Every structure is written in structure tokens, then in C-alpha cells.
């Protein structure tokens, strides 16, 4: 089964322990193909090879460059970042190798993801 997993949380390695990565590891263990679209906020400092940490045979990680959404006390900056996030995720989705998915999982019930999920 082809699964699309959409998350606002940075998921760069499914071996880390969290609710989301536990679910993803279970899907991989049952031989499902997973594409993860995760947010890379402006403040995130990452290595050049960030996406290669979680890319593999069954997993494809894509990162959407977003504004600072979490832990941001500037309400105007946060509001603009949230309003743009749907477009930024759709832009990354178009780069996905597999455009047909059997299951779409969205971690946050955000109204901005509705066009992407549709």
C-alpha cells in the first residue's frame, strides 16, 4: 500500500521515538511504501544531507521550507507562515515520485491541508 504522511513536525529519522515514528515503523515492518512530507522551518539548522537520513527503499522524505510556525511569539509572522503552509506543502507534493496514494495520514487537522488531501 502507498501511504502519504503529512506532518508539521520535523520527521528526519523514523528510528527516533515518538508517536508518529512508531506508526511509520509499523507500516514499514508490514512492507508498505511511505512518503513523508514534513516541515523544515526557517530556524532549523540542518546538514546538507538531511533528507538522506530517512530516505530508503520503503520511505521517501520530502521537506517543505516553511516559516517559523511553532514556538513563535510574533503573531503576524506566525499567521503569514500558517497561511502559506498549504501552498508550500502542495509545491513539495508535486515533486513526489508516487502521486497515487492508498492512504493519506495528516497529523494535524489543519484547514490549510484540505486542498492537498483532496
Amino acid at each position: 500500500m502507498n501511504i502519504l504522511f503529512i506532518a508539521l513536525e520535523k520527521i528526519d529519522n523514523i528510528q527516533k521515538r515518538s508517536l508518529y515514528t512508531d506508526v511509520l515503523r509499523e507500516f514499514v515492518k508490514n512492507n508498505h511504501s511511505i512518503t513523508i512530507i514534513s516541515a523544515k522551518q526557517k530556524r532549523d539548522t540542518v546538514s546538507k544531507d538531511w533528507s538522506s537520513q530517512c530516505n530508503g527503499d520503503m520511505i521517501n522524505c520530502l521537506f517543505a521550507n516553511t516559516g517559523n510556525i511553532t514556538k513563535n511569539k510574533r503573531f503576524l509572522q506566525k499567521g503569514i507562515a500558517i497561511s502559506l503552509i498549504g501552498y508550500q506543502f502542495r509545491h513539495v507534493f508535486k515533486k513526489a515520485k508516487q502521486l497515487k496514494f492508498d492512504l493519506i495520514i495528516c497529523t494535524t487537522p489543519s484547514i490549510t491541508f484540505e486542498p492537498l488531501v483532496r
Side-chain angles (χ1 to χ4, degrees):
M1 181 166 46
N2 293 318
I3 300 168
L4 175 64
F5 190 80
I6 304 168
L8 283 177
E9 179 182 317
K10 178 179 76 171
I11 299 176
D12 58 349
N13 185 352
I14 69 162
Q15 299 310 318
K16 292 180 182 176
R17 292 192 48 100
S18 77
L19 175 67
Y20 304 138
T21 56
D22 291 346
V23 169
L24 293 173
R25 279 195 306 274
E26 195 63 32
F27 281 129
V28 169
K29 189 164 67 170
N30 290 307
N31 295 321
H32 298 293
S33 176
I34 301 172
T35 299
I36 302 169
I37 300 179
S38 179
K40 180 188 159 293
Q41 298 183 42
K42 279 187 178 179
R43 73 167 162 267
D44 288 337
T45 55
V46 294
S47 67
K48 294 177 187 175
D49 226 13
W50 193 31
S51 63
S52 68
Q53 294 176 11
C54 71
N55 287 340
D57 294 335
M58 302 297 285
I59 299 174
N60 184 25
C61 289
L62 302 170
F63 299 102
N65 292 320
T66 65
N68 294 328
I69 299 166
T70 59
K71 300 176 186 170
N72 188 355
K73 294 182 180 176
R74 297 181 179 158
F75 294 112
L76 183 61
Q77 184 183 33
K78 184 175 185 173
I80 292 169
I82 289 173
S83 64
L84 291 174
I85 197 165
Y87 168 76
Q88 293 162 335
F89 272 63
R90 278 192 307 266
H91 179 71
V92 172
F93 176 74
K94 291 177 183 177
K95 295 179 182 178
K97 295 175 185 172
Q98 176 65 277
L99 291 177
K100 279 197 128 183
F101 295 101
D102 302 312
L103 176 65
I104 298 174
I105 301 172
C106 185
T107 60
T108 305
S110 177
I111 193 71
T112 57
F113 290 149
E114 188 268 333
L116 175 64
V117 173
R118 189 177 350 117

